[in-house]
Amino acid sequence: MAAEQQSRAKQVLGPDDVRRAITRIAHEITERNRGASGVALVGIQTGGVWVAEALAGEIERIDDAGAGVRVGSVDASLYRDDIGLRPVSPGAVSELTFTIDGATVVLVDDVLYTGRTVRAALDAVGDYGRPRLVQLAVLVDRGHRELPIRPDYVGKNLPTSSEEIVTVTSDGVVIS
Amino acid sequence: MTRSLLSISELGVAGVGRILDLADHMAEVNRRPNPKVPALRGKTVCNLFFEDSTRTRLSFETAAKRLSADTMTFAVSQSSLNKGESLRDTIETIGAMGVDAFVIRHGSSGAPWQLGQWTTASVVNAGDGWHAHPTQALLDMYTVRVALNRREGFDGLRVAIVGDVKHSRVARSTSAAFRLLGADVTLVAPRTLLPPVHDEHSTSDLDDVLDDVDVVYLLRLQRERMSEALVPTLREYTNRFGLTPARAARLGKHVLVMHPGPMNRGVEIAVDPAELPGNVITQQVTNGISVRMAVLFDLLGSGSESSLAGGADG
């Protein structure tokens, strides 16, 4: 079974592609928001956290005000709409130590799929304060949305079937 | 599938770890300006307290509310139990109103297990007789884990549980949980208040162990459960088993001092705990809410793997 899955695994993006996508999204975020001041990157636990940190690193490199970009994370598991329907598996604990009132919050995740996690994360962020606006950045949009949610920044649109599993790391994107 | 939390041994080491990890999430919620999440909307938790309680009852009620569950609190003294309704009929009546979890404290050991036979709701043991108090043990483990930053377990940690061991469900559950996580537990009590098995894990000489401990866990002298003269006088008890100023001065700065409350000041604790460097008694109360939120969420917020296809990511 494992070997069979191995043989079906398909690398669709390499490490360089992921790095370039992060650089491009970092540029788009600073362009759209006219610089990085007031921007807070909030990674969705657990897969979005490293992406948010990588984006912050890039923004710091390319924007004069980038050194001040704030990075946090939010765990959406207590806001999900499928609580009681599947095993409890919270990721790491939320870390939002700065105030988000009036900030431009960019929610960051690795894969956008049904949109339900993003919906839960929006509710979670709302419990910390009232951002001026919220945007969504994802490395991979694999389609199959079940809610009216669309990303503002996309690394790669990836048509998939719902049976497939998409794995995203800094080493690339694999469909299996 | 209904799940319940009745004792530490039924929970097991994996279950204890799961609850403590979840409690980290709940503690983060409790640090927010608005400490409330929608996780258990639509669930109802009924508190059934047949014995007096301040902190445990309020702690469970707060925990349920912070998870957005509805709560019912059953005051035994104002209930139809006084008209002769049996406990079973009372439980079935409340159950018919739609309850997802019963939190029960009862003076009889085993009462929560009996309750579990009569209801399909989850049952949480909030203290049964002399027997068990698993959520107290869990909040104690969580408090030590946070205070000493020991996420990987308590291997080598030396714990002295001091006082009225015989009558204490807290001593039973907390020592079981400490041992489950790898700590070395010594029970310290007068011979009359020790369990009948005497071995190297129990002693009647507090001063003998005080220099070699990392945690001193003081128990409340439960005068309401004592029907015979097990302790000569309170003053003698304090002299031999109380945390006196002289003993407090001997404790290393790293030693945690714990007490499940309510404290008999001047009896088992004859110093102001606020002056002890390792005092975590207030943290125990605060952590109690996070840990009970974790317990309720673990019982009511989880389902089986198969009931929802896909949708885990995205």
Side-chain angles (χ1 to χ4, degrees), chain B residues 4 15-16 22 25 31 35 48 69 88 94 100 105 121 141 147 174 192 201 214 230 253 269-270 276 299 310-311:
Chain B
S4 291
V16 170
L22 263 176
H25 289 255
R31 284 194 295 269
L48 283 170
R88 179 172 188 162
I94 299 171
D100 299 287
R105 165 167 294 187
M141 297 310 108
T174 292
T192 49
H201 301 299
D214 305 301
L230 297 169
K253 286 214 182 317
I269 185 154
L276 301 170
L299 293 177

Tab-separated table of all heavy atoms in Angstrom, chain B residues 4 15-16 22 25 31 35 48 69 88 94 100 105 121 141 147 174 192 201 214 230 253 269-270 276 299 310-311:
chain	number	residue	atom	x	y	z
B	4	SER	N	-16.320	8.646	28.766
B	4	SER	CA	-16.418	9.250	30.085
B	4	SER	C	-15.031	9.401	30.675
B	4	SER	O	-14.087	8.749	30.241
B	4	SER	CB	-17.293	8.387	31.002
B	4	SER	OG	-18.635	8.444	30.562
B	15	GLY	N	-3.979	9.117	27.317
B	15	GLY	CA	-5.101	10.024	27.547
B	15	GLY	C	-4.694	11.236	28.367
B	15	GLY	O	-5.118	12.362	28.082
B	16	VAL	N	-3.855	11.008	29.379
B	16	VAL	CA	-3.380	12.133	30.188
B	16	VAL	C	-2.609	13.111	29.306
B	16	VAL	O	-2.834	14.329	29.345
B	16	VAL	CB	-2.507	11.641	31.368
B	16	VAL	CG1	-1.818	12.810	32.066
B	16	VAL	CG2	-3.357	10.859	32.367
B	22	LEU	N	-4.187	19.417	25.064
B	22	LEU	CA	-5.383	20.228	24.785
B	22	LEU	C	-5.476	21.415	25.751
B	22	LEU	O	-5.913	22.513	25.369
B	22	LEU	CB	-6.640	19.369	24.952
B	22	LEU	CG	-7.280	18.745	23.724
B	22	LEU	CD1	-8.443	17.862	24.148
B	22	LEU	CD2	-7.761	19.817	22.758
B	25	HIS	N	-4.068	24.652	24.651
B	25	HIS	CA	-4.941	25.459	23.784
B	25	HIS	C	-5.957	26.235	24.603
B	25	HIS	O	-6.256	27.396	24.324
B	25	HIS	CB	-5.680	24.551	22.787
B	25	HIS	CG	-4.783	23.974	21.733
B	25	HIS	ND1	-4.777	24.415	20.440
B	25	HIS	CD2	-3.851	23.007	21.806
B	25	HIS	CE1	-3.864	23.748	19.752
B	25	HIS	NE2	-3.307	22.877	20.555
B	31	ARG	N	-6.237	33.280	28.262
B	31	ARG	CA	-5.387	34.478	28.371
B	31	ARG	C	-5.930	35.634	27.532
B	31	ARG	O	-5.472	36.751	27.647
B	31	ARG	CB	-3.959	34.148	27.906
B	31	ARG	CG	-3.151	33.346	28.914
B	31	ARG	CD	-1.662	33.346	28.562
B	31	ARG	NE	-1.387	32.669	27.303
B	31	ARG	CZ	-1.100	31.369	27.211
B	31	ARG	NH1	-1.053	30.620	28.281
B	31	ARG	NH2	-0.860	30.819	26.034
B	35	PRO	N	-12.330	35.504	26.692
B	35	PRO	CA	-11.934	34.092	26.800
B	35	PRO	C	-13.073	33.134	26.503
B	35	PRO	O	-13.562	32.433	27.381
B	35	PRO	CB	-11.472	33.976	28.254
B	35	PRO	CG	-12.301	34.977	28.971
B	35	PRO	CD	-12.626	36.082	28.012
B	48	LEU	N	-23.878	17.887	38.741
B	48	LEU	CA	-24.610	17.209	39.821
B	48	LEU	C	-23.694	17.134	41.033
B	48	LEU	O	-22.814	16.285	41.078
B	48	LEU	CB	-24.933	15.774	39.409
B	48	LEU	CG	-26.046	15.464	38.446
B	48	LEU	CD1	-25.944	14.000	38.066
B	48	LEU	CD2	-27.383	15.738	39.089
B	69	ALA	N	-20.838	25.879	25.803
B	69	ALA	CA	-21.847	24.870	26.135
B	69	ALA	C	-22.869	25.488	27.089
B	69	ALA	O	-22.571	26.466	27.786
B	69	ALA	CB	-21.193	23.659	26.786
B	88	ARG	N	-31.691	7.284	40.453
B	88	ARG	CA	-31.844	6.814	39.084
B	88	ARG	C	-32.948	7.574	38.357
B	88	ARG	O	-32.790	7.987	37.212
B	88	ARG	CB	-32.144	5.313	39.089
B	88	ARG	CG	-32.322	4.798	37.673
B	88	ARG	CD	-32.430	3.304	37.607
B	88	ARG	NE	-32.411	2.916	36.205
B	88	ARG	CZ	-32.145	1.690	35.786
B	88	ARG	NH1	-31.886	0.739	36.654
B	88	ARG	NH2	-32.150	1.416	34.511
B	94	ILE	N	-33.460	14.143	34.221
B	94	ILE	CA	-32.580	15.181	33.665
B	94	ILE	C	-32.128	14.767	32.272
B	94	ILE	O	-32.092	15.580	31.344
B	94	ILE	CB	-31.369	15.416	34.588
B	94	ILE	CG1	-31.836	15.890	35.962
B	94	ILE	CG2	-30.420	16.434	33.981
B	94	ILE	CD1	-30.724	15.941	36.996
B	100	ASP	N	-25.662	16.253	27.410
B	100	ASP	CA	-24.550	15.585	26.740
B	100	ASP	C	-23.503	15.089	27.720
B	100	ASP	O	-22.780	14.155	27.429
B	100	ASP	CB	-23.911	16.535	25.729
B	100	ASP	CG	-24.904	16.952	24.660
B	100	ASP	OD1	-25.218	16.101	23.815
B	100	ASP	OD2	-25.400	18.097	24.706
B	105	ARG	N	-20.264	14.868	41.478
B	105	ARG	CA	-19.523	14.689	42.732
B	105	ARG	C	-20.466	14.011	43.704
B	105	ARG	O	-21.630	14.427	43.858
B	105	ARG	CB	-19.057	16.018	43.302
B	105	ARG	CG	-18.621	15.864	44.762
B	105	ARG	CD	-17.874	17.025	45.277
B	105	ARG	NE	-16.597	17.158	44.592
B	105	ARG	CZ	-15.674	18.040	44.952
B	105	ARG	NH1	-15.887	18.860	45.960
B	105	ARG	NH2	-14.534	18.102	44.295
B	121	ALA	N	-25.289	9.696	28.264
B	121	ALA	CA	-24.423	10.882	28.208
B	121	ALA	C	-23.035	10.540	28.746
B	121	ALA	O	-22.851	9.532	29.418
B	121	ALA	CB	-25.034	12.014	29.027
B	141	MET	N	-1.125	17.870	37.366
B	141	MET	CA	-0.082	17.513	36.399
B	141	MET	C	0.189	18.688	35.476
B	141	MET	O	1.334	18.989	35.136
B	141	MET	CB	-0.508	16.294	35.564
B	141	MET	CG	-0.731	15.009	36.341
B	141	MET	SD	0.611	14.561	37.438
B	141	MET	CE	-0.141	14.895	39.007
B	147	ALA	N	4.857	24.832	35.277
B	147	ALA	CA	5.778	25.521	36.193
B	147	ALA	C	7.214	25.067	35.985
B	147	ALA	O	8.143	25.868	36.099
B	147	ALA	CB	5.347	25.278	37.642
B	174	THR	N	-4.000	11.906	42.342
B	174	THR	CA	-2.807	12.685	42.007
B	174	THR	C	-1.550	11.825	42.089
B	174	THR	O	-0.672	11.928	41.231
B	174	THR	CB	-2.731	13.936	42.910
B	174	THR	OG1	-3.813	14.798	42.557
B	174	THR	CG2	-1.434	14.689	42.724
B	192	THR	N	-1.953	6.510	61.328
B	192	THR	CA	-3.404	6.322	61.302
B	192	THR	C	-4.031	6.823	60.010
B	192	THR	O	-5.174	6.502	59.703
B	192	THR	CB	-4.060	7.094	62.462
B	192	THR	OG1	-3.543	8.435	62.454
B	192	THR	CG2	-3.797	6.442	63.789
B	201	HIS	N	7.628	3.814	49.812
B	201	HIS	CA	6.940	4.969	49.246
B	201	HIS	C	6.050	5.667	50.267
B	201	HIS	O	5.269	6.538	49.910
B	201	HIS	CB	6.099	4.555	48.034
B	201	HIS	CG	6.914	3.938	46.950
B	201	HIS	ND1	7.926	4.630	46.317
B	201	HIS	CD2	6.895	2.707	46.405
B	201	HIS	CE1	8.478	3.830	45.418
B	201	HIS	NE2	7.891	2.666	45.454
B	214	ASP	N	11.156	17.763	45.029
B	214	ASP	CA	10.957	18.848	44.068
B	214	ASP	C	9.556	19.432	44.184
B	214	ASP	O	9.320	20.557	43.754
B	214	ASP	CB	11.171	18.326	42.643
B	214	ASP	CG	12.534	17.674	42.479
B	214	ASP	OD1	13.537	18.374	42.710
B	214	ASP	OD2	12.592	16.476	42.148
B	230	LEU	N	-8.248	10.137	64.946
B	230	LEU	CA	-7.095	9.687	64.185
B	230	LEU	C	-5.897	10.601	64.385
B	230	LEU	O	-4.773	10.224	64.143
B	230	LEU	CB	-7.448	9.617	62.696
B	230	LEU	CG	-8.546	8.609	62.358
B	230	LEU	CD1	-9.018	8.784	60.927
B	230	LEU	CD2	-8.064	7.185	62.581
B	253	LYS	N	14.576	26.810	46.662
B	253	LYS	CA	13.746	27.770	45.933
B	253	LYS	C	13.003	27.130	44.769
B	253	LYS	O	11.995	27.640	44.295
B	253	LYS	CB	14.621	28.909	45.400
B	253	LYS	CG	15.082	29.879	46.467
B	253	LYS	CD	15.176	31.286	45.902
B	253	LYS	CE	15.694	32.298	46.918
B	253	LYS	NZ	15.119	32.158	48.259
B	269	ILE	N	-1.030	24.028	56.569
B	269	ILE	CA	-0.150	25.072	56.045
B	269	ILE	C	-0.129	26.222	57.053
B	269	ILE	O	-1.127	26.914	57.249
B	269	ILE	CB	-0.540	25.490	54.613
B	269	ILE	CG1	0.464	26.489	54.050
B	269	ILE	CG2	-1.966	26.014	54.519
B	269	ILE	CD1	0.539	26.466	52.536
B	270	ALA	N	1.000	26.366	57.750
B	270	ALA	CA	1.110	27.322	58.847
B	270	ALA	C	1.977	28.512	58.466
B	270	ALA	O	2.519	29.202	59.308
B	270	ALA	CB	1.671	26.638	60.090
B	276	LEU	N	5.987	31.940	49.766
B	276	LEU	CA	6.835	30.824	49.342
B	276	LEU	C	7.216	31.011	47.884
B	276	LEU	O	6.351	31.246	47.039
B	276	LEU	CB	6.084	29.493	49.503
B	276	LEU	CG	5.602	29.172	50.917
B	276	LEU	CD1	4.669	27.980	50.883
B	276	LEU	CD2	6.797	28.899	51.816
B	299	LEU	N	-14.191	15.003	25.534
B	299	LEU	CA	-15.335	14.084	25.591
B	299	LEU	C	-16.416	14.445	24.576
B	299	LEU	O	-16.997	13.575	23.935
B	299	LEU	CB	-15.954	14.087	26.993
B	299	LEU	CG	-15.100	13.504	28.111
B	299	LEU	CD1	-15.819	13.656	29.442
B	299	LEU	CD2	-14.792	12.041	27.837
B	310	GLY	N	-13.087	13.111	4.281
B	310	GLY	CA	-12.312	14.239	3.766
B	310	GLY	C	-12.470	15.483	4.620
B	310	GLY	O	-12.871	15.415	5.769
B	311	GLY	N	-12.147	16.598	4.036
B	311	GLY	CA	-12.368	17.874	4.715
B	311	GLY	C	-11.418	18.160	5.844
B	311	GLY	O	-11.568	19.141	6.525
